[in-house]
Amino acid sequence: MRPAAAALVTILGLLTGCSDSSDPASGPAAASTITEPAPWSATTNEAFTGSPPAFPELLHDGWRLRQEWNIITRAFNDSWAAGAGPEHAPFPATMNGCDTSRFLVRWRTVNPDSKLLSGWISGEVADAVQPAESGWMSLDGCQTPQWQLLSPAGNFLTDVTVDIQEWKPAP
């Protein structure tokens, strides 16, 4: 491998947590290629369904973890339920400086028979993703996560357990 290519592989390995298996100095190596995108990408205002990935220990591009909290919120079939902030204070979204915060959100219904729409709000609810029992979101600092129950056979509410991380730019 040419020196420039080797340096690039080393830098990419440091950024992604992988190492080059052809470099004997790196010791036992992890896979040197990434087969799927990282679950917590640089893109914000995205929502996904399915089993949520673990929270990252480090976020790309110079972010630092400010705080982490969990809540249980109640979702209804006739309105959107917003996520809350720490100690059930209002969610710490803002109207200004959307790029000065990131919120990583993991959620699941307490009742596995319940299906929820998930989305976010910045004035009004954005596009919701397909119904699911669990999922995750990556939001900028102006968005608040929300959920709405799709009512199965007479249910009109369900509880949602939510874990949230707030990230700020590192100095």
PDB file of all heavy atoms in Angstrom, residues 52-83:
ATOM      1  N   PRO A  52     -33.764   0.208  18.288  1.00  0.00           N
ATOM      2  CA  PRO A  52     -32.820   1.328  18.280  1.00  0.00           C
ATOM      3  C   PRO A  52     -31.395   0.880  18.580  1.00  0.00           C
ATOM      4  O   PRO A  52     -31.176   0.015  19.424  1.00  0.00           O
ATOM      5  CB  PRO A  52     -33.321   2.261  19.367  1.00  0.00           C
ATOM      6  CG  PRO A  52     -34.496   1.630  19.993  1.00  0.00           C
ATOM      7  CD  PRO A  52     -34.727   0.302  19.366  1.00  0.00           C
ATOM      8  N   PRO A  53     -30.410   1.484  17.909  1.00  0.00           N
ATOM      9  CA  PRO A  53     -29.014   1.157  18.201  1.00  0.00           C
ATOM     10  C   PRO A  53     -28.581   1.776  19.527  1.00  0.00           C
ATOM     11  O   PRO A  53     -29.243   2.689  20.041  1.00  0.00           O
ATOM     12  CB  PRO A  53     -28.263   1.805  17.034  1.00  0.00           C
ATOM     13  CG  PRO A  53     -29.130   2.941  16.617  1.00  0.00           C
ATOM     14  CD  PRO A  53     -30.547   2.480  16.856  1.00  0.00           C
ATOM     15  N   ALA A  54     -27.485   1.288  20.058  1.00  0.00           N
ATOM     16  CA  ALA A  54     -26.925   1.878  21.279  1.00  0.00           C
ATOM     17  C   ALA A  54     -26.506   3.316  20.987  1.00  0.00           C
ATOM     18  O   ALA A  54     -26.159   3.657  19.856  1.00  0.00           O
ATOM     19  CB  ALA A  54     -25.722   1.062  21.741  1.00  0.00           C
ATOM     20  N   PHE A  55     -26.545   4.155  22.019  1.00  0.00           N
ATOM     21  CA  PHE A  55     -26.064   5.517  21.857  1.00  0.00           C
ATOM     22  C   PHE A  55     -24.555   5.504  21.622  1.00  0.00           C
ATOM     23  O   PHE A  55     -23.847   4.652  22.157  1.00  0.00           O
ATOM     24  CB  PHE A  55     -26.342   6.352  23.110  1.00  0.00           C
ATOM     25  CG  PHE A  55     -27.748   6.865  23.209  1.00  0.00           C
ATOM     26  CD1 PHE A  55     -28.438   6.788  24.402  1.00  0.00           C
ATOM     27  CD2 PHE A  55     -28.378   7.466  22.129  1.00  0.00           C
ATOM     28  CE1 PHE A  55     -29.725   7.291  24.520  1.00  0.00           C
ATOM     29  CE2 PHE A  55     -29.667   7.966  22.226  1.00  0.00           C
ATOM     30  CZ  PHE A  55     -30.339   7.874  23.425  1.00  0.00           C
ATOM     31  N   PRO A  56     -24.050   6.457  20.872  1.00  0.00           N
ATOM     32  CA  PRO A  56     -22.602   6.515  20.657  1.00  0.00           C
ATOM     33  C   PRO A  56     -21.896   7.057  21.898  1.00  0.00           C
ATOM     34  O   PRO A  56     -22.480   7.818  22.679  1.00  0.00           O
ATOM     35  CB  PRO A  56     -22.467   7.503  19.487  1.00  0.00           C
ATOM     36  CG  PRO A  56     -23.639   8.409  19.638  1.00  0.00           C
ATOM     37  CD  PRO A  56     -24.757   7.529  20.157  1.00  0.00           C
ATOM     38  N   GLU A  57     -20.650   6.657  22.073  1.00  0.00           N
ATOM     39  CA  GLU A  57     -19.843   7.241  23.137  1.00  0.00           C
ATOM     40  C   GLU A  57     -19.220   8.544  22.664  1.00  0.00           C
ATOM     41  O   GLU A  57     -18.951   9.436  23.461  1.00  0.00           O
ATOM     42  CB  GLU A  57     -18.776   6.260  23.595  1.00  0.00           C
ATOM     43  CG  GLU A  57     -19.367   5.065  24.324  1.00  0.00           C
ATOM     44  CD  GLU A  57     -18.313   4.150  24.880  1.00  0.00           C
ATOM     45  OE1 GLU A  57     -17.183   4.613  25.147  1.00  0.00           O
ATOM     46  OE2 GLU A  57     -18.615   2.971  25.043  1.00  0.00           O
ATOM     47  N   LEU A  58     -18.975   8.637  21.361  1.00  0.00           N
ATOM     48  CA  LEU A  58     -18.452   9.848  20.732  1.00  0.00           C
ATOM     49  C   LEU A  58     -19.307  10.131  19.509  1.00  0.00           C
ATOM     50  O   LEU A  58     -19.695   9.220  18.796  1.00  0.00           O
ATOM     51  CB  LEU A  58     -17.002   9.656  20.298  1.00  0.00           C
ATOM     52  CG  LEU A  58     -15.980   9.431  21.405  1.00  0.00           C
ATOM     53  CD1 LEU A  58     -14.630   9.061  20.808  1.00  0.00           C
ATOM     54  CD2 LEU A  58     -15.856  10.673  22.268  1.00  0.00           C
ATOM     55  N   LEU A  59     -19.584  11.391  19.282  1.00  0.00           N
ATOM     56  CA  LEU A  59     -20.321  11.791  18.095  1.00  0.00           C
ATOM     57  C   LEU A  59     -19.335  12.474  17.158  1.00  0.00           C
ATOM     58  O   LEU A  59     -18.419  13.157  17.600  1.00  0.00           O
ATOM     59  CB  LEU A  59     -21.462  12.731  18.485  1.00  0.00           C
ATOM     60  CG  LEU A  59     -22.569  12.945  17.469  1.00  0.00           C
ATOM     61  CD1 LEU A  59     -23.226  11.633  17.071  1.00  0.00           C
ATOM     62  CD2 LEU A  59     -23.622  13.890  18.016  1.00  0.00           C
ATOM     63  N   HIS A  60     -19.515  12.296  15.886  1.00  0.00           N
ATOM     64  CA  HIS A  60     -18.617  12.827  14.866  1.00  0.00           C
ATOM     65  C   HIS A  60     -18.481  14.344  14.943  1.00  0.00           C
ATOM     66  O   HIS A  60     -19.245  15.040  15.612  1.00  0.00           O
ATOM     67  CB  HIS A  60     -19.159  12.441  13.495  1.00  0.00           C
ATOM     68  CG  HIS A  60     -20.560  12.928  13.321  1.00  0.00           C
ATOM     69  ND1 HIS A  60     -20.857  14.187  12.899  1.00  0.00           N
ATOM     70  CD2 HIS A  60     -21.748  12.353  13.605  1.00  0.00           C
ATOM     71  CE1 HIS A  60     -22.170  14.357  12.900  1.00  0.00           C
ATOM     72  NE2 HIS A  60     -22.726  13.254  13.329  1.00  0.00           N
ATOM     73  N   ASP A  61     -17.519  14.868  14.250  1.00  0.00           N
ATOM     74  CA  ASP A  61     -17.358  16.299  13.988  1.00  0.00           C
ATOM     75  C   ASP A  61     -17.298  17.196  15.222  1.00  0.00           C
ATOM     76  O   ASP A  61     -17.828  18.295  15.226  1.00  0.00           O
ATOM     77  CB  ASP A  61     -18.477  16.823  13.067  1.00  0.00           C
ATOM     78  CG  ASP A  61     -18.479  16.153  11.707  1.00  0.00           C
ATOM     79  OD1 ASP A  61     -17.412  15.664  11.291  1.00  0.00           O
ATOM     80  OD2 ASP A  61     -19.533  16.113  11.089  1.00  0.00           O
ATOM     81  N   GLY A  62     -16.678  16.749  16.281  1.00  0.00           N
ATOM     82  CA  GLY A  62     -16.419  17.639  17.407  1.00  0.00           C
ATOM     83  C   GLY A  62     -17.581  17.966  18.310  1.00  0.00           C
ATOM     84  O   GLY A  62     -17.704  19.092  18.787  1.00  0.00           O
ATOM     85  N   TRP A  63     -18.458  17.018  18.573  1.00  0.00           N
ATOM     86  CA  TRP A  63     -19.567  17.230  19.496  1.00  0.00           C
ATOM     87  C   TRP A  63     -19.222  16.615  20.846  1.00  0.00           C
ATOM     88  O   TRP A  63     -18.481  15.650  20.932  1.00  0.00           O
ATOM     89  CB  TRP A  63     -20.834  16.578  18.945  1.00  0.00           C
ATOM     90  CG  TRP A  63     -21.374  17.251  17.738  1.00  0.00           C
ATOM     91  CD1 TRP A  63     -20.982  17.029  16.445  1.00  0.00           C
ATOM     92  CD2 TRP A  63     -22.379  18.251  17.682  1.00  0.00           C
ATOM     93  NE1 TRP A  63     -21.689  17.834  15.593  1.00  0.00           N
ATOM     94  CE2 TRP A  63     -22.564  18.593  16.328  1.00  0.00           C
ATOM     95  CE3 TRP A  63     -23.152  18.896  18.636  1.00  0.00           C
ATOM     96  CZ2 TRP A  63     -23.483  19.545  15.917  1.00  0.00           C
ATOM     97  CZ3 TRP A  63     -24.071  19.837  18.222  1.00  0.00           C
ATOM     98  CH2 TRP A  63     -24.225  20.156  16.881  1.00  0.00           C
ATOM     99  N   ARG A  64     -19.790  17.173  21.922  1.00  0.00           N
ATOM    100  CA  ARG A  64     -19.609  16.593  23.261  1.00  0.00           C
ATOM    101  C   ARG A  64     -20.984  16.370  23.882  1.00  0.00           C
ATOM    102  O   ARG A  64     -21.924  17.130  23.647  1.00  0.00           O
ATOM    103  CB  ARG A  64     -18.761  17.492  24.150  1.00  0.00           C
ATOM    104  CG  ARG A  64     -19.399  18.814  24.457  1.00  0.00           C
ATOM    105  CD  ARG A  64     -18.535  19.662  25.403  1.00  0.00           C
ATOM    106  NE  ARG A  64     -19.031  21.018  25.477  1.00  0.00           N
ATOM    107  CZ  ARG A  64     -20.099  21.401  26.181  1.00  0.00           C
ATOM    108  NH1 ARG A  64     -20.768  20.523  26.888  1.00  0.00           N
ATOM    109  NH2 ARG A  64     -20.498  22.657  26.185  1.00  0.00           N
ATOM    110  N   LEU A  65     -21.082  15.319  24.668  1.00  0.00           N
ATOM    111  CA  LEU A  65     -22.341  14.992  25.340  1.00  0.00           C
ATOM    112  C   LEU A  65     -22.592  16.010  26.448  1.00  0.00           C
ATOM    113  O   LEU A  65     -21.758  16.206  27.324  1.00  0.00           O
ATOM    114  CB  LEU A  65     -22.286  13.578  25.919  1.00  0.00           C
ATOM    115  CG  LEU A  65     -23.537  13.099  26.635  1.00  0.00           C
ATOM    116  CD1 LEU A  65     -24.725  13.039  25.686  1.00  0.00           C
ATOM    117  CD2 LEU A  65     -23.280  11.725  27.248  1.00  0.00           C
ATOM    118  N   ARG A  66     -23.736  16.677  26.404  1.00  0.00           N
ATOM    119  CA  ARG A  66     -24.102  17.658  27.430  1.00  0.00           C
ATOM    120  C   ARG A  66     -24.896  16.995  28.540  1.00  0.00           C
ATOM    121  O   ARG A  66     -24.628  17.188  29.714  1.00  0.00           O
ATOM    122  CB  ARG A  66     -24.911  18.800  26.838  1.00  0.00           C
ATOM    123  CG  ARG A  66     -25.303  19.827  27.879  1.00  0.00           C
ATOM    124  CD  ARG A  66     -25.954  21.046  27.263  1.00  0.00           C
ATOM    125  NE  ARG A  66     -26.259  22.010  28.301  1.00  0.00           N
ATOM    126  CZ  ARG A  66     -27.414  22.060  28.944  1.00  0.00           C
ATOM    127  NH1 ARG A  66     -28.381  21.224  28.665  1.00  0.00           N
ATOM    128  NH2 ARG A  66     -27.617  22.948  29.882  1.00  0.00           N
ATOM    129  N   GLN A  67     -25.928  16.217  28.167  1.00  0.00           N
ATOM    130  CA  GLN A  67     -26.755  15.554  29.170  1.00  0.00           C
ATOM    131  C   GLN A  67     -27.497  14.389  28.534  1.00  0.00           C
ATOM    132  O   GLN A  67     -27.645  14.321  27.318  1.00  0.00           O
ATOM    133  CB  GLN A  67     -27.728  16.531  29.830  1.00  0.00           C
ATOM    134  CG  GLN A  67     -28.710  17.181  28.890  1.00  0.00           C
ATOM    135  CD  GLN A  67     -29.608  18.168  29.618  1.00  0.00           C
ATOM    136  OE1 GLN A  67     -29.859  18.054  30.821  1.00  0.00           O
ATOM    137  NE2 GLN A  67     -30.114  19.152  28.902  1.00  0.00           N
ATOM    138  N   GLU A  68     -27.948  13.508  29.396  1.00  0.00           N
ATOM    139  CA  GLU A  68     -28.709  12.334  28.967  1.00  0.00           C
ATOM    140  C   GLU A  68     -29.823  12.116  29.980  1.00  0.00           C
ATOM    141  O   GLU A  68     -29.610  12.288  31.183  1.00  0.00           O
ATOM    142  CB  GLU A  68     -27.774  11.124  28.917  1.00  0.00           C
ATOM    143  CG  GLU A  68     -28.379   9.882  28.375  1.00  0.00           C
ATOM    144  CD  GLU A  68     -27.336   8.781  28.157  1.00  0.00           C
ATOM    145  OE1 GLU A  68     -26.128   9.050  28.204  1.00  0.00           O
ATOM    146  OE2 GLU A  68     -27.769   7.649  27.948  1.00  0.00           O
ATOM    147  N   TRP A  69     -31.015  11.766  29.499  1.00  0.00           N
ATOM    148  CA  TRP A  69     -32.134  11.527  30.409  1.00  0.00           C
ATOM    149  C   TRP A  69     -33.088  10.523  29.785  1.00  0.00           C
ATOM    150  O   TRP A  69     -33.013  10.230  28.603  1.00  0.00           O
ATOM    151  CB  TRP A  69     -32.838  12.831  30.781  1.00  0.00           C
ATOM    152  CG  TRP A  69     -33.587  13.520  29.685  1.00  0.00           C
ATOM    153  CD1 TRP A  69     -34.919  13.413  29.413  1.00  0.00           C
ATOM    154  CD2 TRP A  69     -33.080  14.426  28.714  1.00  0.00           C
ATOM    155  NE1 TRP A  69     -35.269  14.202  28.338  1.00  0.00           N
ATOM    156  CE2 TRP A  69     -34.145  14.840  27.892  1.00  0.00           C
ATOM    157  CE3 TRP A  69     -31.814  14.945  28.441  1.00  0.00           C
ATOM    158  CZ2 TRP A  69     -33.988  15.733  26.834  1.00  0.00           C
ATOM    159  CZ3 TRP A  69     -31.658  15.833  27.398  1.00  0.00           C
ATOM    160  CH2 TRP A  69     -32.740  16.221  26.609  1.00  0.00           C
ATOM    161  N   ASN A  70     -33.966   9.992  30.624  1.00  0.00           N
ATOM    162  CA  ASN A  70     -35.019   9.114  30.119  1.00  0.00           C
ATOM    163  C   ASN A  70     -36.346   9.544  30.721  1.00  0.00           C
ATOM    164  O   ASN A  70     -36.402  10.104  31.812  1.00  0.00           O
ATOM    165  CB  ASN A  70     -34.708   7.629  30.372  1.00  0.00           C
ATOM    166  CG  ASN A  70     -34.448   7.337  31.816  1.00  0.00           C
ATOM    167  OD1 ASN A  70     -35.106   7.867  32.685  1.00  0.00           O
ATOM    168  ND2 ASN A  70     -33.475   6.499  32.078  1.00  0.00           N
ATOM    169  N   ILE A  71     -37.393   9.291  29.959  1.00  0.00           N
ATOM    170  CA  ILE A  71     -38.737   9.658  30.369  1.00  0.00           C
ATOM    171  C   ILE A  71     -39.694   8.553  29.945  1.00  0.00           C
ATOM    172  O   ILE A  71     -39.350   7.713  29.112  1.00  0.00           O
ATOM    173  CB  ILE A  71     -39.203  10.994  29.740  1.00  0.00           C
ATOM    174  CG1 ILE A  71     -39.190  10.892  28.209  1.00  0.00           C
ATOM    175  CG2 ILE A  71     -38.387  12.158  30.222  1.00  0.00           C
ATOM    176  CD1 ILE A  71     -39.886  12.035  27.498  1.00  0.00           C
ATOM    177  N   ILE A  72     -40.858   8.565  30.541  1.00  0.00           N
ATOM    178  CA  ILE A  72     -41.975   7.781  30.021  1.00  0.00           C
ATOM    179  C   ILE A  72     -43.053   8.797  29.696  1.00  0.00           C
ATOM    180  O   ILE A  72     -43.428   9.609  30.540  1.00  0.00           O
ATOM    181  CB  ILE A  72     -42.473   6.729  31.027  1.00  0.00           C
ATOM    182  CG1 ILE A  72     -41.399   5.669  31.220  1.00  0.00           C
ATOM    183  CG2 ILE A  72     -43.775   6.106  30.538  1.00  0.00           C
ATOM    184  CD1 ILE A  72     -41.772   4.549  32.161  1.00  0.00           C
ATOM    185  N   THR A  73     -43.489   8.787  28.450  1.00  0.00           N
ATOM    186  CA  THR A  73     -44.540   9.698  28.022  1.00  0.00           C
ATOM    187  C   THR A  73     -45.736   8.884  27.578  1.00  0.00           C
ATOM    188  O   THR A  73     -45.610   7.681  27.327  1.00  0.00           O
ATOM    189  CB  THR A  73     -44.035  10.652  26.904  1.00  0.00           C
ATOM    190  OG1 THR A  73     -44.978  11.685  26.717  1.00  0.00           O
ATOM    191  CG2 THR A  73     -43.777   9.915  25.616  1.00  0.00           C
ATOM    192  N   ARG A  74     -46.859   9.487  27.502  1.00  0.00           N
ATOM    193  CA  ARG A  74     -48.092   8.798  27.124  1.00  0.00           C
ATOM    194  C   ARG A  74     -48.518   9.273  25.742  1.00  0.00           C
ATOM    195  O   ARG A  74     -48.645  10.464  25.502  1.00  0.00           O
ATOM    196  CB  ARG A  74     -49.178   9.085  28.150  1.00  0.00           C
ATOM    197  CG  ARG A  74     -50.426   8.283  27.911  1.00  0.00           C
ATOM    198  CD  ARG A  74     -51.208   8.108  29.183  1.00  0.00           C
ATOM    199  NE  ARG A  74     -50.600   7.034  29.946  1.00  0.00           N
ATOM    200  CZ  ARG A  74     -50.953   6.698  31.173  1.00  0.00           C
ATOM    201  NH1 ARG A  74     -51.893   7.360  31.796  1.00  0.00           N
ATOM    202  NH2 ARG A  74     -50.380   5.700  31.794  1.00  0.00           N
ATOM    203  N   ALA A  75     -48.707   8.328  24.828  1.00  0.00           N
ATOM    204  CA  ALA A  75     -49.152   8.640  23.464  1.00  0.00           C
ATOM    205  C   ALA A  75     -50.632   8.305  23.335  1.00  0.00           C
ATOM    206  O   ALA A  75     -51.094   7.275  23.838  1.00  0.00           O
ATOM    207  CB  ALA A  75     -48.342   7.842  22.451  1.00  0.00           C
ATOM    208  N   PHE A  76     -51.362   9.179  22.660  1.00  0.00           N
ATOM    209  CA  PHE A  76     -52.805   9.017  22.463  1.00  0.00           C
ATOM    210  C   PHE A  76     -53.102   8.814  20.981  1.00  0.00           C
ATOM    211  O   PHE A  76     -52.287   9.140  20.123  1.00  0.00           O
ATOM    212  CB  PHE A  76     -53.549  10.252  22.979  1.00  0.00           C
ATOM    213  CG  PHE A  76     -53.382  10.461  24.451  1.00  0.00           C
ATOM    214  CD1 PHE A  76     -52.344  11.247  24.928  1.00  0.00           C
ATOM    215  CD2 PHE A  76     -54.235   9.862  25.349  1.00  0.00           C
ATOM    216  CE1 PHE A  76     -52.174  11.435  26.291  1.00  0.00           C
ATOM    217  CE2 PHE A  76     -54.078  10.048  26.710  1.00  0.00           C
ATOM    218  CZ  PHE A  76     -53.040  10.837  27.186  1.00  0.00           C
ATOM    219  N   ASN A  77     -54.315   8.336  20.687  1.00  0.00           N
ATOM    220  CA  ASN A  77     -54.673   8.071  19.292  1.00  0.00           C
ATOM    221  C   ASN A  77     -55.254   9.295  18.594  1.00  0.00           C
ATOM    222  O   ASN A  77     -55.471   9.261  17.392  1.00  0.00           O
ATOM    223  CB  ASN A  77     -55.629   6.884  19.182  1.00  0.00           C
ATOM    224  CG  ASN A  77     -56.965   7.140  19.839  1.00  0.00           C
ATOM    225  OD1 ASN A  77     -57.169   8.154  20.481  1.00  0.00           O
ATOM    226  ND2 ASN A  77     -57.892   6.205  19.681  1.00  0.00           N
ATOM    227  N   ASP A  78     -55.503  10.377  19.304  1.00  0.00           N
ATOM    228  CA  ASP A  78     -56.133  11.530  18.661  1.00  0.00           C
ATOM    229  C   ASP A  78     -55.263  12.783  18.641  1.00  0.00           C
ATOM    230  O   ASP A  78     -55.714  13.834  18.200  1.00  0.00           O
ATOM    231  CB  ASP A  78     -57.468  11.847  19.334  1.00  0.00           C
ATOM    232  CG  ASP A  78     -57.309  12.180  20.810  1.00  0.00           C
ATOM    233  OD1 ASP A  78     -56.193  12.044  21.353  1.00  0.00           O
ATOM    234  OD2 ASP A  78     -58.309  12.577  21.430  1.00  0.00           O
ATOM    235  N   SER A  79     -54.023  12.693  19.143  1.00  0.00           N
ATOM    236  CA  SER A  79     -53.140  13.865  19.141  1.00  0.00           C
ATOM    237  C   SER A  79     -51.690  13.403  19.284  1.00  0.00           C
ATOM    238  O   SER A  79     -51.427  12.266  19.669  1.00  0.00           O
ATOM    239  CB  SER A  79     -53.499  14.828  20.276  1.00  0.00           C
ATOM    240  OG  SER A  79     -53.311  14.180  21.523  1.00  0.00           O
ATOM    241  N   TRP A  80     -50.774  14.300  18.980  1.00  0.00           N
ATOM    242  CA  TRP A  80     -49.349  14.015  19.116  1.00  0.00           C
ATOM    243  C   TRP A  80     -48.899  14.302  20.537  1.00  0.00           C
ATOM    244  O   TRP A  80     -49.319  15.299  21.131  1.00  0.00           O
ATOM    245  CB  TRP A  80     -48.542  14.868  18.135  1.00  0.00           C
ATOM    246  CG  TRP A  80     -48.687  14.403  16.727  1.00  0.00           C
ATOM    247  CD1 TRP A  80     -49.634  14.794  15.837  1.00  0.00           C
ATOM    248  CD2 TRP A  80     -47.873  13.443  16.066  1.00  0.00           C
ATOM    249  NE1 TRP A  80     -49.458  14.131  14.647  1.00  0.00           N
ATOM    250  CE2 TRP A  80     -48.377  13.302  14.753  1.00  0.00           C
ATOM    251  CE3 TRP A  80     -46.765  12.695  16.437  1.00  0.00           C
ATOM    252  CZ2 TRP A  80     -47.816  12.439  13.822  1.00  0.00           C
ATOM    253  CZ3 TRP A  80     -46.195  11.844  15.509  1.00  0.00           C
ATOM    254  CH2 TRP A  80     -46.714  11.716  14.231  1.00  0.00           C
ATOM    255  N   ALA A  81     -48.051  13.431  21.098  1.00  0.00           N
ATOM    256  CA  ALA A  81     -47.477  13.611  22.430  1.00  0.00           C
ATOM    257  C   ALA A  81     -46.004  13.967  22.277  1.00  0.00           C
ATOM    258  O   ALA A  81     -45.245  13.228  21.641  1.00  0.00           O
ATOM    259  CB  ALA A  81     -47.617  12.328  23.244  1.00  0.00           C
ATOM    260  N   ALA A  82     -45.607  15.080  22.852  1.00  0.00           N
ATOM    261  CA  ALA A  82     -44.227  15.551  22.754  1.00  0.00           C
ATOM    262  C   ALA A  82     -43.358  14.926  23.834  1.00  0.00           C
ATOM    263  O   ALA A  82     -43.826  14.643  24.938  1.00  0.00           O
ATOM    264  CB  ALA A  82     -44.183  17.067  22.876  1.00  0.00           C
ATOM    265  N   GLY A  83     -42.091  14.755  23.515  1.00  0.00           N
ATOM    266  CA  GLY A  83     -41.115  14.322  24.502  1.00  0.00           C
ATOM    267  C   GLY A  83     -40.848  15.446  25.491  1.00  0.00           C
ATOM    268  O   GLY A  83     -41.046  16.625  25.181  1.00  0.00           O
TER     269      GLY A  83
END
